[in-house]
Amino acid sequence: MSSDKKIILIGGGGHCKACIDVIETEGSWYIHGILDAADRIGQFVLDYPVIGTDDDIASYASQGFYFLITVGQVKYATVRQEIFEKAKKANALFATVYSPKAHVSKYATAGEGTIVMHYAHVGADVVIGRNCVINNHSNVDHDANVGSHCHISTGAVVNGACVIGDGSMVGSRAVLMQSVQIRHDVVVGAGSVVLKNIEESGIYAGYPLRKIE
Ligand SMILES: CC(C)(COP(=O)(O)OP(=O)(O)OC[C@H]1O[C@@H](n2cnc3c(N)ncnc32)[C@H](O)[C@@H]1OP(=O)(O)O)[C@@H](O)C(=O)NCCC(=O)NCCS
């Protein structure tokens, strides 16, 4: 295993387990360990030890490790975004991981720190930013543009040519009509249907869609 394929995961909760499953299936990374809270050091997440906290990112970055943020996101992206920015200040490099069980078009691109999980579909001419989660069974269809620090949740459908701003989340099985544009820092609730552009950051849910925060 070459040294440039060693990865450290940041965040040791449930989403971390799902990421481990994808990384192991992809097969080209050696998972060195996990960074989490200080009182979890020495514990294991699946087969991997918690080896430090995010205060150790700079030290591991200087040793050539890559990183992936495996903190989950069920609303705003604040925590994942703050960790990403802290790590970039420490010169950390991030892995981009595609599950071999996903379809990612050869005409699509995704930025560093983004993971495309099992059975997702990423269509032609899709552009995905940095530090995103494209979760299991989601569909990001042709020509869509997903900003950085976004979570497209399990089974969500982002139809062709949609535009999603930085730090947004599309909940499980939510649907965005084709060409819909949503602003940065928008949360779309599970199962919601978005027919029109969302111009204001906040939390939206339901069908018909309403702003709940
Ligand atoms: C939208 C969401 C973030 C709102 O969470 P919240 O701010 O804690 O909101 P609450 O649970 O207090 O609900 C507020 C209101 O919105 C309604 N609501 C919440 N989520 C809704 C949804 N997905 N669809 C329709 N209505 C919803 C609630 O019924 C409640 O209505 P009321 O005021 O008439 O009683 C959350 O419900 C949600 O859907 N999260 C996405 C979860 C998900 O997809 N996880 C993926 C894991 S991979």
Side-chain angles (χ1 to χ4, degrees):
M1 187 81 55
S2 66
S3 60
D4 62 349
K5 297 292 277 182
K6 286 184 188 168
I7 190 170
I8 290 174
L9 310 180
I10 307 174
H15 179 61
C16 180
K17 294 179 185 175
C19 290
I20 288 170
D21 194 61
V22 171
I23 294 165
E24 287 185 342
T25 306
E26 195 269 346
S28 71
W29 294 93
Y30 165 78
I31 302 173
H32 183 68
I34 291 155
L35 305 181
D36 200 290
D39 63 2
R40 292 196 63 198
I41 293 172
Q43 294 178 10
F44 277 71
V45 179
L46 302 180
D47 287 341
Y48 304 96
V50 177
I51 55 173
T53 73
D54 59 9
D55 290 334
D56 299 314
I57 291 172
S59 162
Y60 284 114
S62 70
Q63 296 170 58
F65 287 95
Y66 280 70
F67 295 86
L68 187 73
I69 296 175
T70 50
V71 174
Q73 177 188 347
V74 291
K75 229 182 233 185
Y76 292 112
T78 317
V79 174
R80 289 178 53 90
Q81 190 162 354
E82 283 174 2
I83 295 170
F84 187 85
E85 281 157 13
K86 176 176 178 173
K88 289 313 289 179
K89 280 193 190 130
N91 298 317
L93 296 173
F94 282 86
T96 303
V97 180
Y98 298 162
S99 165
K101 297 182 180 189
H103 174 74
V104 181
S105 167
K106 69 175 184 177
Y107 302 106
T109 60
E112 61 174 336
T114 287
I115 183 166
V116 179
M117 306 187 77
H118 298 324
Y119 305 108
H121 173 269
V122 177
D125 273 346
V126 166
V127 177
I128 298 171
R130 307 195 296 173
N131 188 30
C132 291
V133 178
I134 309 300
N135 219 320
N136 304 328
H137 290 278
S138 61
N139 181 1
V140 182
D141 218 347
H142 63 89
D143 298 296
N145 190 310
V146 178
S148 293
H149 319 293
C150 289
H151 179 191
I152 311 302
S153 305
T154 47
V157 178
V158 175
N159 278 299
C162 284
V163 178
I164 298 177
D166 291 347
S168 292
M169 165 174 168
V170 180
S172 268
R173 289 203 172 261
V175 176
L176 269 57
M177 183 87 131
Q178 71 277 1
S179 304
V180 152
Q181 302 197 3
I182 70 176
R183 200 177 156 72
H184 64 83
D185 300 308
V186 165
V187 176
V188 175
S192 304
V193 179
V194 184
L195 301 176
K196 292 190 285 194
N197 294 355
I198 297 178
E199 315 276 3
E200 193 183 344
S201 300
I203 302 179
Y204 297 78
Y207 178 58
L209 194 72
R210 68 183 174 107
K211 189 169 191 296
I212 61 175
E213 184 184 301

